[in-house]
Amino acid sequence: MTPDPDDLRGRLRRAGELLREFYEGRHRGALARSRRDEDDLFMLLVLSETMGIPNPASYYTLELLPLLYDRFHEWHLRMGMEHSPLEGFRCC
Amino acid sequence: MTPSSSFPGFLREPGGPRILFIGGKGGVGKTTTASALALELARSGRRCLLVSTDPAHSLGDVFGIRLGPRPKRLREGLLAMELDPDEEVGRYLDQVRENMQGLVRPAMYHEIERQLELSRQAPGAVEAATMDRISRLMAQATGPTSRGREWDVLVFDTAPTGHTLRLLALPEIMAAWTEGLLRRRDRSDAWGRALERLSGGRAGERAGEGDELSYIDEVGSELPSDDDRSHRIREVLLERRRSFTRARRLLLDPAMTAFIWVLIPEKLPILESEKAVHTLAEHRVPVVGMVVNRVLPAGELGAFLEARRAQEEAYLARIGESFAQIPRVHVPLLARDVEGVETLERIGRILMGDETTAPPPT
Ligand SMILES: Nc1ncnc2c1ncn2[C@@H]1O[C@H](COP(=O)(O)OP(=O)(O)OP(=O)(O)O)[C@@H](O)[C@H]1O
Ligand SMILES: [Mg+2]
C-alpha cells in the first residue's frame, strides 16, 4: 500500500511543529532565566546595604524599593534564604 | 602684605560665580569668612543666600539670630538658613511613601513602612539628604531669577574638611553607581526583547505607551506588569543620573562655582589644607582663593607674641610655597571672637582689601 502523500506531508508538518515547539520552549526558558538572573542581581545590588554589604547609595535605593518589593519574596527564596533577610521587612 | 590677584574682588562683580563654597579644617574661620563675604557681596549689590551645611550649625550664633531650614532675611539682600538633614530625610521618605501607592499590594504597606523607618538611621542618609538639598539649591542658583528667587549668589558655609570632601565626591560616585544599575537594566531588557521576538510578538502585557499611569485607577486590583515595572525603574534611575550629573557639572564649572579655602598659619591646619586642596584638584573642583585667618596683626606685640610671630612667619612662608598658585588674602587675629554684623563687616572690608591696616589690638 503506497502511503498517502498528503498524510505524510501532514505528519511531517506535525513533527516539525513539535520539534520547533520543543526547541523554542527550551530557548524561551533559557532567555527567561537569563532575564531573571539579571533581575536577581539587580535586586541584590539595590538591597545590599540592608543585608550588611556597604552600599554608598543605599539612601537613593529607597525610591526603587516599592518597584521591587512585589518580587522580593520570590527573590529571597530563590537566593536560598528561607526567611526575609531584611530586618524590617517580614514578608513571610 | 596681601599676596593678591583679582581674588576676592572678582566675587563682587555682577558676572562673578553664583555658587561659593567656604571650606577648611574645623574652627579655622569658615563661618566667619562665609558671613563676612556674604555681607560684603550683599552690600555691593549681589544678593546672597547664606547656607550652613554643617550639621553642627553656628551660623545663627554669629548673627545672634535663630535660623532654621527656611531662608530668613537678615538684612537687605541677605538671606540665611541652616539645613536640617533630618527634615530632608523625612520629606524624601514621604515622597517614597506616596509613590508606593499603586505599586505594592496594600497588605505590604505596613512592612514597607517599617523598612522606611529603619532607613531613617541608615548610614549615609544624612549626607545624601544634605547633598540632595545642596544640589537642588545649586540648580536654583543657575535658573532664572523670575521664579521667585530673591538672591543672586549662594554662599555655603560648609562642615569641616572630611565631611565636605565626601559630600563633593558624592555626585561622581553616585553617577557611576547609577550608571552601573542602568547597564544591568539594559541587559535585563535585552533578554526581555529577545524573548518577545521569539514569541513572535509582545510577550509581556505592557501597558499601552503613554499611559503608564493608567493602573493607578485600579489600585490594589491590578499591579503594574513586569515590563511596566522595568520601565519605571529605568525612569527613576535616569532621573537620578540626571540630577547627579547636573550637580557635578555645576560643581566643576569655574564660571559658576568657586571654592574658597580657609586656613590658619599653624602646623596641622597647613598639613590638612595641603591634602585637601590636592584632593579638590584631583576632583577638578576649582579653588579660586584662600583666606589665611588669624594672622598676628602688625605693630609691637610684646615679647611673648613676638616669639609667636617668628614661628608664624615660618608657617606663612610654607603656605606661600605650598599654595603658590592660589591667590591668598590675610585676615588678622582680632582681640575678640567674631560676633555681630559690625565685626563681620569689618572682616568683609579686610577681605576685599578695602581696609588694609588693622587697627591696633584693643
Ligand atoms: N580673625 C579672627 N580673630 C579672632 N577670632 C576669630 C577670627 N576668626 C574667627 N574667630 C573666632 O574663632 C572661632 C571659630 O571661628 P568660626 O566659627 O568662623 O570657624 P569655623 O571654621 O566655622 O568653625 P567650625 O569648624 O566649628 O564650623 C569663633 O569663635 C570665631 O569668633
Ligand atoms: Mg562653622
Side-chain angles (χ1 to χ4, degrees):
Chain A
M1 210 174 121
T2 50
D4 178 348
D6 281 346
D7 189 37
L8 182 63
R9 206 170 292 134
R11 273 200 270 175
L12 275 174
R13 198 188 303 123
R14 176 97 191 87
E17 272 165 14
L18 277 173
L19 259 175
R20 197 166 60 240
E21 242 166 64
F22 176 71
Y23 281 111
E24 279 187 0
R26 289 185 52 159
H27 206 68
R28 189 179 295 125
L31 286 174
R33 258 194 312 281
S34 298
R35 183 183 197 180
R36 202 188 59 197
D37 287 349
E38 201 59 52
D39 289 346
D40 283 351
L41 182 56
F42 183 81
M43 180 88 89
L44 183 68
L45 288 172
V46 169
L47 295 178
S48 58
E49 177 81 41
T50 23
M51 296 170 56
I53 306 165
N55 174 0
S58 65
Y59 180 75
Y60 298 109
T61 60
L62 287 179
E63 60 203 31
L64 289 172
L65 292 189
L67 287 159
L68 296 174
Y69 268 133
D70 209 45
R71 299 281 170 275
F72 179 69
H73 180 65
E74 295 165 39
W75 175 79
H76 77 72
L77 291 181
R78 229 182 0 258
M79 295 290 106
M81 294 174 270
E82 204 180 324
H83 299 292
S84 163
L86 296 191
E87 218 183 310
F89 196 73
R90 296 172 305 195
C91 48
C92 50
Chain B
M1 73 166 285
T2 314
S4 167
S5 72
S6 51
F7 171 82
F10 82 102
L11 300 174
R12 282 191 293 202
E13 290 161 18
R18 290 193 224 167
I19 302 165
L20 308 182
F21 283 91
I22 319 298
K25 186 173 158 58
V28 295
K30 297 179 295 297
T31 303
T32 303
T33 303
S35 308
L37 203 53
L39 275 166
E40 178 59 30
L41 294 185
R43 197 188 57 76
S44 56
R46 297 196 84 194
R47 299 169 305 164
C48 285
L49 173 58
L50 181 53
V51 183
S52 166
T53 70
D54 189 345
H57 298 291
S58 69
L59 189 57
D61 300 339
V62 175
F63 285 95
I65 278 182
R66 207 187 158 84
L67 291 174
R70 260 153 288 286
K72 195 177 237 178
R73 180 174 304 278
L74 296 185
R75 57 165 49 201
E76 186 61 30
L78 180 59
L79 299 162
M81 64 194 267
E82 296 176 339
L83 296 190
D84 179 348
D86 290 336
E87 193 193 73
E88 294 297 329
V89 174
R91 212 201 319 260
Y92 175 61
L93 294 185
D94 284 346
Q95 202 187 316
V96 172
R97 220 168 262 140
E98 208 169 287
N99 295 347
M100 180 166 87
Q101 317 289 323
L103 287 177
V104 282
R105 278 171 283 126
M108 288 167 96
Y109 284 179
H110 180 64
E111 294 302 330
I112 291 188
E113 189 58 40
R114 280 159 45 90
Q115 188 62 35
L116 288 182
E117 277 313 309
L118 281 175
S119 311
R120 214 182 263 283
Q121 279 91 40
V126 161
E127 215 160 61
T130 306
M131 187 62 226
D132 255 14
R133 188 75 180 103
I134 290 176
S135 57
R136 279 205 306 280
L137 283 165
M138 287 172 73
Q140 235 180 309
T142 60
T145 22
S146 55
R147 297 241 176 90
R149 167 153 67 78
E150 294 173 49
W151 43 271
D152 310 304
V153 186
L154 258 181
V155 181
F156 287 112
D157 168 22
T158 71
T161 319
H163 184 265
T164 300
L165 291 184
R166 272 202 310 282
L167 210 60
L168 295 181
L170 217 51
E172 191 180 8
I173 298 170
M174 290 302 117
W177 179 84
T178 318
E179 197 56 51
L181 285 189
L182 275 166
R183 266 201 302 278
R184 299 247 79 95
R185 297 316 298 171
D186 284 346
R187 295 179 54 153
S188 165
D189 290 349
W191 290 122
R193 273 194 308 276
L195 203 54
E196 232 169 70
R197 267 198 305 278
L198 191 65
S199 318
R202 328 189 91 191
E205 58 280 43
R206 177 194 279 271
E209 230 77 59
D211 61 3
E212 291 115 39
L213 296 178
S214 58
Y215 62 84
I216 276 181
D217 304 332
E218 326 155 307
V219 173
S221 59
E222 195 72 40
L223 294 171
S225 68
D226 280 355
D227 283 345
D228 194 20
R229 247 171 231 283
S230 188
H231 177 70
R232 296 183 49 137
I233 289 173
R234 176 180 293 278
E235 285 299 305
V236 170
L237 289 172
L238 284 174
E239 180 52 38
R240 268 297 163 200
R241 188 175 63 177
R242 262 194 293 278
S243 83
F244 291 135
T245 317
R246 187 185 53 200
R248 179 115 186 97
R249 185 166 42 76
L250 290 178
L251 211 52
L252 301 188
D253 180 358
M256 208 54 96
T257 302
F259 206 97
I260 295 156
W261 194 261
V262 186
L263 79 169
I264 55 179
E266 283 175 19
K267 190 170 181 178
L268 291 180
I270 293 174
L271 289 177
E272 185 170 315
S273 298
E274 286 171 352
K275 274 192 216 141
V277 168
H278 181 73
T279 307
L280 286 169
E282 270 180 353
H283 285 276
R284 290 182 292 135
V285 175
V287 177
V288 299
M290 295 183 119
V291 174
V292 186
N293 192 20
R294 293 163 165 272
V295 178
L296 288 172
E300 181 53 44
L301 293 175
F304 177 75
L305 286 178
E306 286 304 334
R308 266 209 91 81
R309 197 205 297 276
Q311 191 187 27
E312 185 185 89
E313 261 154 22
Y315 288 137
L316 287 173
R318 165 92 181 241
I319 290 174
E321 277 165 34
S322 289
F323 308 108
Q325 314 302 326
I326 306 175
R328 294 178 303 282
V329 55
H330 288 181
V331 173
L333 176 68
L334 303 180
R336 293 167 201 293
D337 276 357
V338 183
E339 240 170 8
V341 170
E342 241 169 73
T343 317
L344 288 171
E345 280 178 332
R346 188 172 148 226
I347 292 179
R349 286 195 299 275
I350 294 170
L351 280 174
M352 289 298 165
D354 297 345
E355 180 179 321
T356 40
T357 47
T362 47

